[in-house]
Amino acid sequence: MIRIGVIGYGYWGPNLVRNFAETPGLSVAGVADLDQKKLDIVQKRYPGVKTTTRFMDLVEDSSLDAIAVATPVSTHFELGMVVLKAGKHLWLEKPMTETSQQARQLVDEAEKQGRVLIVDHTFIYTGAVRKMAEIIKGDDFGNVFYYDSTRVNLGLFQRDVSVISDLAVHDFSILDYLLGEQPLAVSAVGTNHFPGTPENLSYLTLFYNSGMVAHINVNWLAPVKMRQILVGGSKKMITYDDLEPSEKIKVYDKGINFTDDPQQIYQMRVGYRTGDMWAPRLDATEALRVEGEHFVDCIENGKSPLTNGSLGLRVVELIEASTRSMKERGRSVEVNGKFMYQGRRVA
Amino acid sequence: MIRIGVIGYGYWGPNLVRNFAETPGLSVAGVADLDQKKLDIVQKRYPGVKTTTRFMDLVEDSSLDAIAVATPVSTHFELGMVVLKAGKHLWLEKPMTETSQQARQLVDEAEKQGRVLIVDHTFIYTGAVRKMAEIIKGDDFGNVFYYDSTRVNLGLFQRDVSVISDLAVHDFSILDYLLGEQPLAVSAVGTNHFPGTPENLSYLTLFYNSGMVAHINVNWLAPVKMRQILVGGSKKMITYDDLEPSEKIKVYDKGINFTDDPQQIYQMRVGYRTGDMWAPRLDATEALRVEGEHFVDCIENGKSPLTNGSLGLRVVELIEASTRSMKERGRSVEVNGKFMYQGRRVA
Amino acid sequence: MIRIGVIGYGYWGPNLVRNFAETPGLSVAGVADLDQKKLDIVQKRYPGVKTTTRFMDLVEDSSLDAIAVATPVSTHFELGMVVLKAGKHLWLEKPMTETSQQARQLVDEAEKQGRVLIVDHTFIYTGAVRKMAEIIKGDDFGNVFYYDSTRVNLGLFQRDVSVISDLAVHDFSILDYLLGEQPLAVSAVGTNHFPGTPENLSYLTLFYNSGMVAHINVNWLAPVKMRQILVGGSKKMITYDDLEPSEKIKVYDKGINFTDDPQQIYQMRVGYRTGDMWAPRLDATEALRVEGEHFVDCIENGKSPLTNGSLGLRVVELIEASTRSMKERGRSVEVNGKFMYQGRRVA
Amino acid sequence: MIRIGVIGYGYWGPNLVRNFAETPGLSVAGVADLDQKKLDIVQKRYPGVKTTTRFMDLVEDSSLDAIAVATPVSTHFELGMVVLKAGKHLWLEKPMTETSQQARQLVDEAEKQGRVLIVDHTFIYTGAVRKMAEIIKGDDFGNVFYYDSTRVNLGLFQRDVSVISDLAVHDFSILDYLLGEQPLAVSAVGTNHFPGTPENLSYLTLFYNSGMVAHINVNWLAPVKMRQILVGGSKKMITYDDLEPSEKIKVYDKGINFTDDPQQIYQMRVGYRTGDMWAPRLDATEALRVEGEHFVDCIENGKSPLTNGSLGLRVVELIEASTRSMKERGRSVEVNGKFMYQGRRVA
């Protein structure tokens, strides 16, 4: 039984505690938060769990094996470092850190300590994303031509992060997981409609060596909620609508054919096939539960998580590149060199 | 009765002829096309209409008052010029011309000849776009923060135009009509997945002096058809789904409030209002019919069309700027100066 | 070339003429209507077609091979009889006649004259209904448990027919085509909200010997348009949404399993399977075109149409039985004997 | 603080406990279930709550003020009676009892004991149903013409209740709440596709003195989940789609006008208005929370609940009438006299 403590009981912490409490192999041993009122709620719901306003009470508790950090991103590096140095496994909320420099240090420290570092890019553990990966990596999909994501809603403005860190990170992690390929460059534009706040709307394009492009539309000011991804391949195409209750993933038997037309020798014709659509059944297990069990498996069997520190680092690097591009109104920013770290590929 | 001839009976020409034939004040007098088979169809459907494979037969026919040009864009300039020089009113398909230089010459020639030049940006004449304009220009909408359009489908590949000229032009014209403001710069990325073809996918962002941004996502390789626009204002927001049969336009009583929070004196808080949604009834008259009647009205009463040559020119300028930006992978391209033409504002 | 005349150029007549005009093997030779204004429209659109306000001009025209009757249902019997007696093939709009007695006489007369009698139950010729039939009659569907149809909209009130004759007839014909089985009894309730008008809302249930039930909900007073059919089978289920542009038919790999549970020996457990969904590609040819070609084929090759007079008769019998049931507020009315006609099965 | 015990921790009990635990004025003091494993879950989640396999431990506990019964319907009467006789307030799941006779006895006993009896018809406490009631009872809706509900899904088969008791009860309670009028008669058809099981599919029509009809389509064998209600009025119409995340209720400014047409003196013309649609903002508070607070208010202030025993009784009477009608394949069954109880109107 792995005893885990949770630092931060704000928006996401309650979801972690609820899932950890019901995950076989995990036991929630303590919760820390600066706000005593939130700890009172913990006490009411989980009377056996130790609560404290001092996070160091958890870090210093030798009965704990792991700690999850669900605090604002500005504190991730400092808290994560303390947890790892105390020899505990680390579950870190996304985005991993404010800078790629900090992310690299955490990756290093986890390796040095021989501890598991998982970054909570939850989408990777959904049935929908796992099914998409299975289809895209299969034989019938063909080359990936584009990935186009829309994540908009009238959401909560956040003071410490932009809409990229809040929403586009989901696509950064999904792209990393779906494709075997890292982007070469990113072009991003964004705007904040309220002086002094981070960007509340952004459009990003990622360029890949294969010719694939990924486009991400994130917006906190939309009247409706949309969570829709299109993936176009040379043989099939996929739509993923996360708000669709029963048929999130649809696979279209549509692709592109080239036709040699002997009579039009200097022309290239593009022919279309249209065919059936298929909506595969998805595993409906809550993603955090899948992820919790994966964390236990990694700790017990010395595995590296699907969403390990290296993936978390690559996501932070994309946030950095996107932010640089936004400052120049969409000028393409290369993300060269980012995958080389201490003389070896980080992956 | 205005006697009109139509040059080109391919994809769009039949729609023109059908609508012109039923528009009061218009009479279809002749149709020209290089393909005799198409003319045979015209003969079968409209036995009284003269047909010819020589477009000059129409241009030289002194009984005609106006000519509509519905041929490939590469021929628009030459044909349009001949029509105007023959002293006839000109209906020109979109995009107006291949270059802004050509568009300016047509604007000049129409003015010189004292003839009406209408560019067929059909969307401006739909009940949906006219209702959007009414709402946005009204008192209750507030400042326009963004315009976000998605036009994707598994469409016909075209060899002579990119997806921008085919689909994004709709948004260029709608934006021109909805806002009193012209964009300062555009950042566009695009890609063609088939060597030697024009771009089949493009993402564009237009920057405005007011802080407004417009984003356009156009794609010929999507598995599903989408025609959706979001417009966000400080007091209300609009969605326009052109594929929705009965409720294309929805107006959301959602906006942004600033809240002074006395306890957080250095911070700005953004509060949300959420409220009702309202879907106004729209005029369902076919847009081409409305446009045909507008054309008659402009000719008879010496008015300038809503979609006159100057609007058509501004659209072509945006295509040019977008194309330049695409070549530099999204680098922002200014569209300064474009609205000054021969020492005066073109509008 | 079969020369056809059309009597009635009101709501549906123009669709007939337009399709007949483009159907290979058919030639529209004349149109009759009492309203000269409608004939003027015909003249404008089809200058070569003879028009007349006297339908007998068509009936007596020996150059015509066939006549389509698209007039109010109260005139179908008389007109149809005249057409058949004149030795012409007959295309009759739905519902075939006001009474089953009249329908039987038309079936007889067509047989006596050796002429083709087709009743225009158009839905049978759509790609969607043909695909449903293919699936339901296939090996993978299992037993049909139920058919559930909703056809509602804010439609045109009609003074001479009820909502059953206007909308439920579609389901009566589809059911006849999909299933090899005729209903035993019908229970119908209905109401008219305006004194002196026919029923504007009705709910019908058809009982079959196999245990299958069919339910039909038709309503002229709904705020939204719905055209949705569910068909439940023991192995698979189908939804058919006629307003869905691209995926009208969806096939669900869901069915019912019985599980023997040894520990619950007196109980029957019903287990569920949930599986994939599949939306087959449909033939998009306009149904009237398919039906027109089928009419030509039947005439030229002496075949009986899919929607022959016997099918039309069975539909009228169901209208009669439903109307009787409505008068008794849903009391089940047997439709026994209806399929026996002159000592033999009508089919 | 009202101390409440919960009997039954199966499908619905956990929702009760979770909501009661967070309702101000309520405190969950004990949970009884025959299955010790379920009690173990209670212990883990709510360590301070007493658990027992003997429901009498709760009934006999003098520290409890109220008991909620969430067991199979066949036990409702016996358990409810014991609870009331013990002088405790009673929260009873729906449907209230198996027979109207039992329901009447519980109503009597509650009155005799002076205790609150609430039947958990949860829908009445949703923001959507409360908004519908507000609109329908307002001045702008006009006369109610029809209520049409579809509740279908591939649900859990239940051995002890039919689909009417499981799903149609929701509409019975909503109709009772929305209208000031009780139905005169019901026509119901239904079928079970598996011998020995209750009906898994049913179509019901309720007739009202005003001419209003209510139609209910309930089905456990559908491939998709649908929860849709249409309400048609003489001035406006409503749709309520419970699966729609943000716009469940839509109000259409569509109605029916009579036009006096002097030239058609024997005819009645029905004209249509079509107008705007409006989707009001709804209170999103969880219905069980609203209901829990209402229960507290009724106990503390001696009020009768919105969903009191009399409403619960009327619902059971409709189940009985529907079941009788189903046995006669839709023959209309009167529900006369049912509202007279002990010489007075039960309401």
Side-chain angles (χ1 to χ4, degrees), chain B residues 101-331:
Chain B
Q101 165 81 4
Q102 295 172 335
R104 270 184 214 101
Q105 288 183 249
L106 288 176
V107 170
D108 268 359
E109 189 65 30
E111 184 163 338
K112 187 171 144 193
Q113 299 283 348
R115 287 297 174 268
V116 172
L117 163 52
I118 193 169
V119 185
D120 182 15
H121 287 290
T122 319
F123 266 99
I124 305 308
Y125 302 94
T126 58
V129 170
R130 285 180 289 147
K131 179 59 78 175
M132 281 176 81
E134 177 189 323
I135 294 166
I136 289 173
K137 291 171 181 170
D139 291 336
D140 296 335
F141 194 75
N143 298 321
V144 181
F145 283 155
Y146 67 86
Y147 170 102
D148 185 354
S149 174
T150 303
R151 295 183 192 273
V152 306
N153 59 291
L154 196 57
L156 284 179
F157 263 71
Q158 298 184 37
R159 273 171 296 109
D160 64 337
V161 298
S162 74
V163 72
I164 289 181
S165 293
D166 181 45
L167 295 177
V169 285
H170 294 310
D171 294 295
F172 292 164
S173 65
I174 293 171
L175 281 162
D176 195 286
Y177 175 66
L178 287 183
L179 309 167
E181 192 185 4
Q182 303 301 326
L184 299 176
V186 59
S187 164
V189 298
T191 190
N192 67 333
H193 292 98
F194 310 103
T197 60
E199 284 81 3
N200 52 261
L201 169 162
S202 180
Y203 310 114
L204 306 96
T205 310
L206 280 61
F207 301 93
Y208 289 76
N209 190 47
S210 64
M212 216 277 286
V213 293
H215 182 255
I216 303 167
N217 176 337
V218 284
N219 183 346
W220 278 335
L221 281 186
V224 288
K225 187 172 182 179
M226 293 170 63
R227 291 287 184 271
Q228 187 163 52
I229 294 173
L230 308 180
V231 187
S234 55
K235 296 185 188 164
K236 293 195 187 292
M237 300 190 190
I238 295 176
T239 61
Y240 165 25
D241 184 342
D242 199 44
L243 305 183
E244 168 75 35
S246 57
E247 289 140 26
K248 291 181 193 301
I249 298 285
K250 295 181 180 173
V251 186
Y252 292 81
D253 185 20
K254 291 179 178 175
I256 308 298
N257 287 328
F258 290 95
T259 310
D260 275 338
D261 189 341
Q263 297 197 289
Q264 298 177 299
I265 205 121
Y266 292 105
Q267 299 172 0
M268 187 180 48
R269 284 279 306 280
V270 181
Y272 288 84
R273 280 187 290 110
T274 57
D276 296 358
M277 181 269 273
W278 165 68
R281 194 173 71 85
L282 302 177
D283 180 357
T285 313
E286 191 174 358
L288 266 182
R289 176 67 73 89
V290 175
E291 189 175 354
E293 296 178 4
H294 179 58
F295 188 46
V296 170
D297 182 40
C298 288
I299 291 173
E300 293 183 344
N301 300 298
K303 296 179 181 172
S304 179
L306 280 177
T307 55
N308 60 12
S310 298
L311 183 144
L313 162 61
R314 292 192 297 270
V315 168
V316 174
E317 287 171 323
L318 278 175
I319 296 174
E320 287 180 336
S322 303
T323 305
R324 284 200 298 274
S325 178
M326 278 203 296
K327 288 191 181 145
E328 303 194 43
R329 279 199 165 172
R331 188 165 188 173

Side-chain angles (χ1 to χ4, degrees), chain C residues 148 155 157 194 197 217 258 272, chain D residues 148 155 157 194 217 258 268 272:
Chain C
D148 186 353
F157 264 71
F194 310 102
T197 60
N217 176 337
F258 289 95
Y272 288 84
Chain D
D148 186 353
F157 264 70
F194 310 101
N217 176 336
F258 289 96
M268 186 182 47
Y272 288 85

Side-chain angles (χ1 to χ4, degrees), chain C residues 123-231:
Chain C
F123 267 98
I124 304 308
Y125 301 94
T126 59
V129 171
R130 286 179 291 147
K131 179 60 77 175
M132 281 176 80
E134 178 190 322
I135 294 167
I136 288 172
K137 292 170 180 172
D139 291 337
D140 297 334
F141 193 75
N143 299 322
V144 182
F145 284 155
Y146 66 86
Y147 170 101
D148 186 353
S149 174
T150 303
R151 294 184 193 272
V152 306
N153 58 290
L154 195 58
L156 284 179
F157 264 71
Q158 299 183 37
R159 272 171 299 110
D160 64 337
V161 297
S162 73
V163 72
I164 290 181
S165 294
D166 180 45
L167 294 177
V169 285
H170 294 310
D171 294 296
F172 292 164
S173 65
I174 293 171
L175 282 162
D176 195 286
Y177 176 66
L178 288 184
L179 308 168
E181 192 185 5
Q182 303 301 325
L184 299 176
V186 59
S187 163
V189 297
T191 190
N192 67 333
H193 291 98
F194 310 102
T197 60
E199 284 80 5
N200 52 261
L201 170 162
S202 180
Y203 310 113
L204 306 96
T205 309
L206 281 61
F207 301 93
Y208 290 77
N209 190 45
S210 64
M212 215 277 287
V213 292
H215 181 255
I216 302 167
N217 176 337
V218 283
N219 184 345
W220 278 334
L221 280 188
V224 289
K225 187 173 182 177
M226 294 169 64
R227 293 286 184 271
Q228 188 163 51
I229 295 173
L230 307 181
V231 187

Side-chain angles (χ1 to χ4, degrees), chain A residues 40-102:
Chain A
D40 292 345
I41 295 171
V42 176
Q43 279 300 343
K44 196 169 174 196
R45 289 186 189 158
Y46 310 93
V49 170
K50 160 180 160 184
T51 59
T52 173
T53 55
R54 288 186 64 253
F55 71 85
M56 285 305 292
D57 287 349
L58 301 186
V59 176
E60 292 162 355
D61 183 339
S62 62
S63 78
L64 297 191
D65 305 296
I67 287 182
V69 174
T71 56
V73 63
S74 58
T75 66
H76 282 188
F77 173 66
E78 186 186 6
L79 288 172
M81 210 44 133
V82 167
V83 167
L84 288 172
K85 283 185 189 294
K88 299 190 192 312
H89 304 288
L90 176 61
W91 171 297
L92 202 48
E93 278 315 303
K94 61 89 194 167
M96 188 178 178
T97 51
E98 288 187 302
T99 71
S100 57
Q101 164 81 2
Q102 293 171 336

Side-chain angles (χ1 to χ4, degrees), chain C residues 81-146:
Chain C
M81 210 45 134
V82 167
V83 168
L84 288 171
K85 283 183 188 297
K88 299 191 192 310
H89 304 287
L90 176 61
W91 171 297
L92 201 47
E93 279 314 303
K94 59 93 192 164
M96 188 177 178
T97 50
E98 288 187 304
T99 71
S100 56
Q101 165 80 1
Q102 294 172 336
R104 269 183 215 101
Q105 288 183 250
L106 288 177
V107 170
D108 268 359
E109 189 65 29
E111 185 164 335
K112 185 171 147 194
Q113 299 283 348
R115 286 296 174 270
V116 172
L117 164 53
I118 193 169
V119 184
D120 182 13
H121 288 290
T122 319
F123 267 98
I124 304 308
Y125 301 94
T126 59
V129 171
R130 286 179 291 147
K131 179 60 77 175
M132 281 176 80
E134 178 190 322
I135 294 167
I136 288 172
K137 292 170 180 172
D139 291 337
D140 297 334
F141 193 75
N143 299 322
V144 182
F145 284 155
Y146 66 86

Side-chain angles (χ1 to χ4, degrees), chain D residues 38-159:
Chain D
K38 287 175 181 160
L39 298 177
D40 293 345
I41 294 172
V42 176
Q43 279 300 343
K44 198 171 173 194
R45 288 187 190 157
Y46 309 94
V49 170
K50 160 181 162 184
T51 59
T52 173
T53 56
R54 289 187 63 254
F55 70 86
M56 285 305 292
D57 287 349
L58 300 187
V59 175
E60 292 162 354
D61 183 339
S62 62
S63 79
L64 296 192
D65 306 295
I67 287 183
V69 173
T71 55
V73 63
S74 57
T75 65
H76 283 188
F77 173 67
E78 187 185 5
L79 288 173
M81 211 43 134
V82 168
V83 167
L84 287 172
K85 284 185 189 294
K88 299 192 193 310
H89 303 289
L90 175 61
W91 171 297
L92 201 48
E93 279 314 302
K94 60 92 195 165
M96 188 179 178
T97 51
E98 288 187 303
T99 69
S100 56
Q101 164 82 2
Q102 293 171 337
R104 272 184 212 98
Q105 287 184 252
L106 287 178
V107 170
D108 268 359
E109 188 66 30
E111 184 164 335
K112 184 170 146 194
Q113 298 284 348
R115 286 297 174 270
V116 172
L117 163 53
I118 194 170
V119 184
D120 183 14
H121 288 291
T122 318
F123 265 98
I124 304 307
Y125 301 94
T126 59
V129 171
R130 285 180 289 146
K131 178 61 75 175
M132 282 176 79
E134 179 190 321
I135 293 166
I136 289 173
K137 292 171 182 171
D139 291 336
D140 296 335
F141 194 74
N143 298 323
V144 181
F145 284 155
Y146 68 85
Y147 170 103
D148 186 353
S149 174
T150 305
R151 294 181 192 275
V152 307
N153 58 292
L154 196 58
L156 283 178
F157 264 70
Q158 299 183 37
R159 272 171 297 109

Side-chain angles (χ1 to χ4, degrees), chain A residues 242-295:
Chain A
D242 199 45
L243 306 183
E244 167 74 34
S246 57
E247 288 140 26
K248 292 181 193 300
I249 298 284
K250 296 181 178 172
V251 186
Y252 292 81
D253 185 20
K254 291 180 177 173
I256 308 298
N257 287 328
F258 289 96
T259 309
D260 274 338
D261 189 341
Q263 297 197 289
Q264 297 177 300
I265 205 123
Y266 294 103
Q267 298 173 359
M268 186 182 48
R269 282 280 307 281
V270 181
Y272 288 85
R273 284 187 288 109
T274 56
D276 296 356
M277 182 269 273
W278 165 69
R281 195 175 70 86
L282 303 177
D283 180 357
T285 313
E286 191 174 359
L288 266 182
R289 176 66 75 88
V290 174
E291 189 175 356
E293 295 178 5
H294 180 60
F295 188 45

